[in-house]
Every structure is written in C-alpha cells, then in structure tokens.
C-alpha cells in the first residue's frame, strides 16, 4: 500500500515538473512575456510613418521595431495628433515619441532626446502656377498652412505679417494649398515630396528653410534613453538605419 502511494506521489511530482517545464520552455513564442513599449506618433507623415492598410509603416516604424527587437521589447504604435505626442510621453501614456520629431531647445525643456537618427530640412510648398510665394522673403506676408505644433508652425509663427493656418495633419495643410485656401505650406522635406506627388499642381521651392535633426523623445530622466541610444548606435554602426532610410527615400 505504502509503495503504491509513493508511486502515485512520484508520478504526480513528475507531472507537475513536466507541466512547469513546458510552460517555461514554451516562452520562446510566448509574446505576453515581452514587455511592451508604446511609441507615440502621428502616422500621416510619409515616409517616416504612414498607414499601409491598417499597419503603420515607414522609416520611424522600422527603426523603432529594430530597436525593440534588439532590446527584447514588443513595439506597440499609438497614433495621435502630433501636438499630443510630448504630453503622451511626459504623462507616461507612451514610453517614447518618434514622429520625424525635430530636436529643439524648447522641447528639451519637457522631454529628453536620444541621439539623432537622421537629418531633414523644412521646405516651402507652393502652387506650380502663379505662386504668390517664391522665396522666404515673399513668405513673410503670405497665408501659410502648417501642421499644428510642428517646427514649421514654430518658424512661421515668428513672421509677424504672415497669416498662419494650423492643421492637425500635414496633409490637410497641403490640401488647403491645393484648394487655394493658403499660399504656401512649410513642412519637412521628405513628407513634402510625398504630398506633392499625391496632389497635382504643387511644387517645392529650391531654397530650404531650416536644417533639423530628428530624434526619439522620452520622459525626462527615463532609463530607457540610454538603452535606446545603445541599440541605436549599434543599428547605425552596422548600417541598419541607413538601409531603412534608403528603402523609403530613393536618393
Ligand atoms: N519635424 C517637425 C517637428 O518636429 C514635424 C514633424 C511632424 N511629424 C509627424 N509625424 N506628423 O515639428
């Protein structure tokens, strides 16, 4: 009798051990075990972040994915107004913001930035024909469309004689331009190219408006900044970042 009991006990123990083993051993494909990192972005900014069907793709989305893969996190992309990204990050709703976001001293007062992963310029988009704005001088007295809260917004807000129309999406500013409601749009160079391609009768002026660095923003003092900088450095050094940029921007 005693032997039977101990055999049953031993078997039970083996089973428990086996169960515990399979539930641990299976963790390779158990996604729930990975910590999620939420990226705040505004996904109407081709080629950095934009929708392909229901999925957000683009340079930022791919670099963020590569960083998360390297660090063992699961990337979750949260699309919102550009103007809300910094608040999402400072309030802890998002772990980081990545949105073709330019490093500025003003933003540095509320968030930390990683090292820059790419550069950009601000350009002026105007109608192909009979443009009222032909350079940064004629821009000074024009009606200008910008995306709310962007550096484009910031720069033209200094032009005291200009009238500024602010839109939640860069594309809406460009649409207003195509409809003749504004004289020009100031926006980042690569999205400008994508917008001009998508709307007939517009062109980009040759004279760039400002040079900028894009970086990822995080809550002040976040421990993630160092981690992300480490991964970013590796991805820059091994050519991954350049490969992703080249995939979306044909130079
Ligand atoms: N580079 C500009 C800025 O930082 C515009 C960024 C807009 N990005 C976006 N995903 N809509 O203000």
């Amino acid at each position: 009798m005693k032997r039977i009991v101990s055999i049953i006990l031993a078997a039970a123990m083996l089973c428990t051990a086996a169960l515990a083993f399979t539930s641990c051993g299976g963790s390779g494909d158990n996604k729930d075990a990975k910590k999620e990192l939420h990226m705040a972005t505004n996904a109407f900014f081709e080629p950095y972040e934009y929708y392909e069907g229901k999925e957000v793709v683009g340079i930022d989305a791919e670099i963020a994915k590569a960083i998360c893969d390297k660090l063992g996190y699961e990337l979750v992309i949260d699309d919102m107004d550009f103007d809300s990204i910094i608040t999402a990050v400072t309030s802890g709703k998002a772990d980081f913001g990545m949105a073709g976001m330019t490093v500025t001293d003003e933003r540095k007062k509320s968030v930390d930035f990683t090292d820059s992963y790419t550069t950009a310029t601000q350009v002026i988009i105007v109608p192909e024909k009979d443009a009222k704005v032909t350079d940064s001088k004629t821009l000074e007295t024009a009606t200008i469309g910008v995306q709310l809260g962007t550096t484009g917004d910031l720069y033209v807000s200094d032009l005291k004689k200009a009238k500024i129309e602010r839109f939640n999406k860069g594309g809406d500013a460009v649409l207003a331009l195509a409809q003749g409601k504004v004289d020009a749009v100031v926006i980042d160079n690569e999205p400008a190219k994508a917008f001009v391609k998508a709307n007939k009768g517009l062109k980009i002026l040759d004279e760039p408006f400002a040079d900028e660095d894009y970086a990822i923003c995080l809550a002040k003092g976040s421990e993630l900044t160092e981690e992300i900088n480490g991964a970013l450095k590796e991805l820059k050094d091994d050519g991954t970042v350049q490969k992703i940029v080249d995939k979306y921007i044909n130079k």
Side-chain angles (χ1 to χ4, degrees), residues 101-241:
M101 188 181 279
T102 307
V103 179
T104 69
D105 288 339
E106 190 59 33
R107 288 174 183 160
K108 275 189 194 165
K109 287 180 195 161
S110 34
V111 287
D112 285 347
F113 280 101
T114 62
D115 299 329
S116 174
Y117 58 91
T118 198
T119 56
T121 58
Q122 291 292 310
V123 296
I124 304 169
I125 312 178
V126 296
E128 232 162 7
K129 284 190 206 122
D130 307 323
K132 201 179 138 189
V133 175
T134 50
D135 53 17
S136 52
K137 187 84 201 130
T138 38
L139 185 73
E140 286 174 10
T141 51
T143 303
I144 311 167
V146 292
Q147 183 178 19
L148 178 71
T150 59
T151 47
D153 182 358
L154 191 79
Y155 299 141
V156 301
S157 295
D158 282 344
L159 308 176
K160 294 290 163 268
K161 285 184 214 144
K163 185 166 182 287
I164 318 300
E165 301 276 357
R166 297 177 176 86
F167 300 85
N168 272 327
K169 292 184 184 130
D172 291 342
V174 176
L175 195 67
L177 177 64
Q179 295 169 341
K181 291 177 184 159
V182 298
D183 304 320
V185 165
V186 174
I187 200 159
D188 306 50
N189 58 325
E190 287 302 330
K193 285 186 203 163
F195 286 133
V196 165
K197 217 167 142 190
N199 293 270
K200 274 207 180 87
L202 302 178
K203 66 174 181 192
I204 299 169
L205 294 182
D206 287 333
E207 175 190 5
F209 201 62
D211 294 322
E212 310 190 315
D213 289 314
Y214 286 175
I216 299 168
C217 71
L218 297 103
K220 275 215 165 293
S222 168
E223 285 163 13
L224 256 182
T225 309
E226 210 184 305
E227 236 182 296
I228 291 184
N229 268 336
L232 193 57
K233 181 168 187 323
E234 283 179 37
L235 293 166
K236 283 201 263 187
D237 289 350
D238 73 5
T240 306
V241 167

Side-chain angles (χ1 to χ4, degrees), residues 35-52:
K35 189 179 176 291
E36 287 182 349
L37 279 195
H38 283 254
M39 159 175 154
T41 197
N42 173 251
F44 297 90
F45 207 60
E46 189 181 344
Y48 297 99
E49 44 267 330
Y50 58 102
Y51 283 94
E52 225 170 63

Side-chain angles (χ1 to χ4, degrees), residues 18-27 30:
L19 265 174
F21 185 74
T22 45
S23 58
C24 295
S27 72
N30 180 4

